[in-house]
Amino acid sequence: MTLLAVERIKLLSTRSPWWCALTALLLTGGFTALVVSQSNAQFPATVSATQYAYSFGMAVIMVLATLAVTTEYRFGTIRTTFQAVPNRAAALAAKATVIALVALVIGEIMAFLSWGLATLIQPEADLALNSTADWINVAGVGPACALAAVVAMAVGILVRHSAGAISLVLIYFLAAENLVTLIPGVGADIFKWLPFNVLHKFVTGNGESANGAAYGQPLSTSTLSPWWALAYFAAFAVVLLAISIATARKRDA
């Protein structure tokens, strides 16, 4: 518990998490307001549409997670941490836990804020959370952000430089997976198993929260069920974190 408290103080005593959280909320809220305000009888507002911009907020949260570890390498404070806690695995696991919890909270606020804004903008629309798919589409954003933050932190540990780690995380998340689909013949099959495409399956499911409307989030091509998709991405995050911790234990801080 002491390690968790120390990591919480280190993270929340700096400005970057607060600015990143505010940016994530403004981005998702702003895009949600824009999307939902354009809905009409042909393209009705749905629960799925309220989370149309969650990936923008997730990208910001991943930047936050990357900075949380690369900033320590940049200023050398990671050396102090490892001197105080010789068990590097425990120190980094505590940091990952705190970052994941912060990302979970930001993700949930972000998701329900977007949903709440949509209900205010379109009070006549059917935006009630009446099914499991509806709840996952909204409340599932938090766990998705938490796991994505762990992945981003792991990349930060491996790369150690803020600019390089952030560039790698954002390029992969925003572009690289989609570019795989351009590979002739096998691109679409590979894409089905890429981690963030699978994570998107957990959030969107098979599109049930869109109520059959075309006005909502693009669906994942993964063949897994939503809960298996979450387990798949969680395993990916844990393995990547384990690799990064093992690497950090072997090299100089």
Side-chain angles (χ1 to χ4, degrees):
M1 292 302 293
T2 302
L3 282 177
L4 293 176
V6 169
E7 292 299 335
R8 174 183 57 81
I9 292 169
K10 285 198 299 184
L11 179 64
L12 299 182
S13 61
T14 59
R15 294 180 180 178
S16 59
W18 301 101
W19 282 112
C20 286
L22 180 60
T23 302
L25 295 177
L26 290 176
L27 271 176
T28 53
F31 273 101
T32 298
L34 180 63
V35 169
V36 174
S37 64
Q38 300 301 313
S39 63
N40 51 45
Q42 184 178 4
F43 299 104
T46 62
V47 172
S48 177
T50 69
Q51 304 304 313
Y52 194 90
Y54 88 90
S55 59
F56 294 105
M58 183 182 288
V60 177
I61 290 172
M62 292 174 72
V63 170
L64 183 161
T66 305
L67 286 174
V69 65
T70 56
T71 301
E72 286 212 59
Y73 278 105
R74 178 185 176 189
F75 292 105
T77 56
I78 195 72
R79 296 191 187 118
T80 305
T81 298
F82 289 158
Q83 287 173 352
V85 187
N87 187 343
R88 295 186 179 187
L92 293 173
K95 184 181 288 293
T97 301
V98 170
I99 290 173
L101 289 174
V102 170
L104 173 67
V105 171
I106 297 173
E108 292 294 356
I109 294 173
M110 186 174 74
F112 280 97
L113 175 64
S114 296
W115 177 75
L117 280 174
T119 58
L120 290 175
I121 295 171
Q122 295 287 354
E124 303 300 323
D126 182 14
L127 298 178
L129 304 180
N130 293 322
S131 67
T132 301
D134 290 341
W135 276 102
I136 292 177
N137 204 170
V138 179
V141 171
C145 288
L147 292 173
V150 172
V151 170
M153 178 192 156
V155 173
I157 295 172
L158 292 171
V159 178
R160 299 198 290 185
H161 298 285
S162 296
I166 291 172
S167 298
L168 183 60
V169 165
L170 292 184
I171 288 172
Y172 182 83
F173 176 61
L174 298 175
E177 285 197 352
N178 289 324
L179 292 177
V180 170
T181 60
L182 301 178
I183 300 175
V186 298
D189 292 328
I190 296 173
F191 182 65
K192 290 178 182 178
W193 295 98
L194 293 182
F196 285 100
N197 179 47
V198 175
L199 181 63
H200 188 58
K201 180 60 176 284
F202 166 67
V203 177
T204 61
N206 294 314
E208 299 93 338
S209 58
N211 295 328
Y215 198 61
Q217 297 164 291
L219 298 180
S220 168
T221 60
S222 173
T223 56
L224 297 175
S225 68
W227 291 111
W228 276 112
L230 180 66
Y232 179 95
F233 190 85
F236 170 75
V238 169
V239 169
L240 189 59
L241 180 64
I243 292 171
S244 67
I245 291 175
T247 302
R249 294 178 65 184
K250 292 179 180 179
R251 67 188 179 192
D252 293 336

